[in-house]
Amino acid sequence: MKAVVSVIGKDNFGILAKVAAVCSENRANIIDVTQSVLQDMFVMIMLVDISADGCDFSKLCGALDTLHEGFLQTAVSLQNDPLVAQALFDAEAEDSAVYSQLFDATE
């Protein structure tokens, strides 16, 4: 099963590293990450696989909530809506197919 982690808030050092550490500690495998800084605002969307043994969705939510309390003015949320996760997964697969075709054409 896949889930989406989103982070929005004031840019600060180590946000990506801290979220990645929480995912790792809770056995959520990071599949894809996109991030941007807009002026002083940090925005990140992370697609994670939560199907590994030992990965408990509710514990991961709790750990991310605790992380949220540590970031001033930063919202951290986790969704496991299958439609959202599948749409992101499908978009990633489509991009991979396009990159593969481009790579094949240059050989």
Side-chain angles (χ1 to χ4, degrees):
M1 179 188 310
K2 294 181 180 50
V4 177
V5 178
S6 59
V7 179
I8 302 172
K10 187 168 174 50
D11 189 27
N12 202 345
F13 294 103
I15 295 173
L16 175 60
K18 290 176 184 176
V19 174
V22 167
C23 289
S24 177
E25 290 164 6
N26 288 277
R27 300 197 37 83
N29 186 36
I30 299 169
I31 298 171
D32 200 359
V33 176
T34 184
Q35 66 178 17
S36 185
V37 178
L38 309 169
Q39 294 184 4
D40 66 342
M41 296 299 292
F42 178 84
V43 179
M44 177 176 70
I45 299 172
M46 182 180 285
L47 182 63
V48 296
D49 184 345
I50 57 174
S51 61
D53 286 343
C55 184
D56 183 306
F57 182 76
S58 61
K59 287 182 183 178
L60 181 58
C61 286
L64 288 170
D65 283 344
T66 301
L67 186 62
H68 161 68
E69 294 165 7
F71 289 132
L72 185 62
Q73 300 177 348
T74 301
V76 179
S77 65
L78 178 68
Q79 301 176 29
N80 72 336
D81 182 333
L83 294 176
V84 171
Q86 189 62 49
L88 288 171
F89 182 76
D90 290 345
E92 179 183 344
E94 185 175 311
D95 287 346
S96 294
V98 169
Y99 296 140
S100 176
Q101 289 173 355
L102 289 173
F103 180 74
D104 290 343
T106 61
E107 291 186 333

